[in-house]
Amino acid sequence: MFLLVTAPWGIAIHSDTLEYICMAKYLSTGHVFSIHGMSAPELLRYYLPFFSFCLSVMDRWGISLFGGIRWFNAVFFGLNIVLAGLILIKHTKAFWPALLGAVMMFISPDVLKVSAAAMTEPLYIFFLLLFLLLFFDYMQRPHWALLVPAALAASLAAITRYAGIPLICTGIAGIFLCKNTPLGKIKHAVVFSLISLLPMALWFCRNVLLCGVGTNVTFIFHPPITPDYFYKSASVFCGWFLPE
């Protein structure tokens, strides 16, 4: 409700936003649209498709995409705050630290900024936090009923943003840190890998079969990790925990 009330004129857009909408229209109608000199099928070689697929569902339902994305982001903004609180209340066993964590999520300038823009970050953050909520439980009680949903959350994060790939690697490493038999760890790691990598593998195969190429290899360098990133991270840490 906060995002909806404070954004009466619409949602912030980026150049990538128009490309996501172009792909969504293509997935919804089957017609070939183009933006910035690239057709929708060409864009699908470079951009991960899940966010555009979600927009295409709204378009099929007759919902205005710019208005629909406002509701979409507002819902995930709220869900992300709830998930942050749930993770903390579950593992600190205390109400006030969880409430503080949820408030910090709510007032974080970065979270507000990405949640007010028609981009993939709110959806990715949702799958990231959902994965953490499920995987933290799995690490305490290694069980298929927790592993499979965690793998599904990681797979949807990876097919939303490339940042989901290291999330999958983290899950695989975490499986080998759990209290389980060596054979059990191997089985769980194999199943987790197959489930979490399946959507991206299918998307990659689709690109090869239809376009003759896999994907844009420059994604390996996006975003560039430079000393400036470590400086920003250190600044955030100092701002929260250390005297000015």
Side-chain angles (χ1 to χ4, degrees):
M1 294 306 299
F2 174 80
L3 281 192
L4 290 172
V5 170
T6 56
W9 299 281
I11 191 162
I13 62 170
H14 186 270
S15 60
D16 287 354
T17 302
L18 304 180
E19 293 162 354
Y20 292 130
I21 289 178
C22 176
M23 291 184 288
K25 285 286 187 181
Y26 170 67
L27 294 173
S28 173
T29 65
H31 298 301
V32 178
F33 296 85
S34 63
I35 189 77
H36 299 145
M38 296 185 68
S39 68
E42 290 177 308
L43 290 170
L44 282 169
R45 289 164 39 192
Y46 300 97
Y47 289 88
L48 291 166
F50 191 67
F51 180 63
S52 295
F53 170 76
C54 293
L55 300 186
S56 72
V57 173
M58 288 194 291
D59 191 60
R60 281 181 174 271
W61 289 348
I63 301 172
S64 166
L65 286 182
F66 286 108
I69 296 173
R70 281 185 62 203
W71 281 98
F72 188 85
N73 277 23
V75 168
F76 281 101
F77 179 60
L79 289 175
N80 291 338
I81 294 170
V82 170
L83 283 174
L86 283 176
I87 290 171
L88 286 166
I89 202 168
K90 197 174 185 70
H91 295 283
T92 63
K93 308 297 183 184
F95 173 75
W96 292 110
L99 180 61
L100 176 62
V103 170
M104 291 173 71
M105 187 82 169
F106 175 74
I107 64 176
S108 166
D110 289 331
V111 173
L112 280 170
K113 181 179 178 181
V114 299
S115 298
M119 298 289 285
T120 58
E121 280 86 350
L123 185 62
Y124 170 75
I125 292 172
F126 171 76
F127 290 128
L128 164 67
L129 293 175
L130 182 61
F131 166 78
L132 292 177
L133 179 66
L134 294 167
F135 198 76
F136 287 161
D137 280 350
Y138 168 82
M139 291 193 74
Q140 294 178 348
R141 296 179 290 112
H143 195 275
W144 291 109
L146 292 170
L147 179 71
V148 172
L152 289 172
S155 70
L156 292 174
I159 202 66
T160 301
R161 289 186 67 84
Y162 289 116
I165 297 174
L167 194 65
I168 294 173
C169 298
T170 300
I172 295 171
I175 289 171
F176 288 98
L177 297 176
C178 296
K179 292 182 179 179
N180 201 349
T181 64
L183 181 60
K185 291 179 180 180
I186 293 173
K187 288 181 178 178
H188 284 202
V190 170
V191 172
F192 180 88
S193 301
L194 290 175
I195 294 175
S196 58
L197 292 172
L198 180 61
M200 180 163 282
L202 292 175
W203 173 74
F204 184 86
C205 291
R206 173 260 178 203
N207 286 345
V208 171
L209 292 174
L210 295 183
C211 308
V213 295
T215 184
N216 182 4
V217 294
T218 59
F219 85 84
I220 297 171
F221 308 103
H222 176 73
I225 303 301
T226 64
D228 186 52
Y229 276 78
F230 295 101
Y231 171 77
K232 290 178 180 178
S233 299
S235 298
V236 171
F237 180 86
C238 292
W240 280 5
F241 299 108
L242 300 175
E244 186 175 353

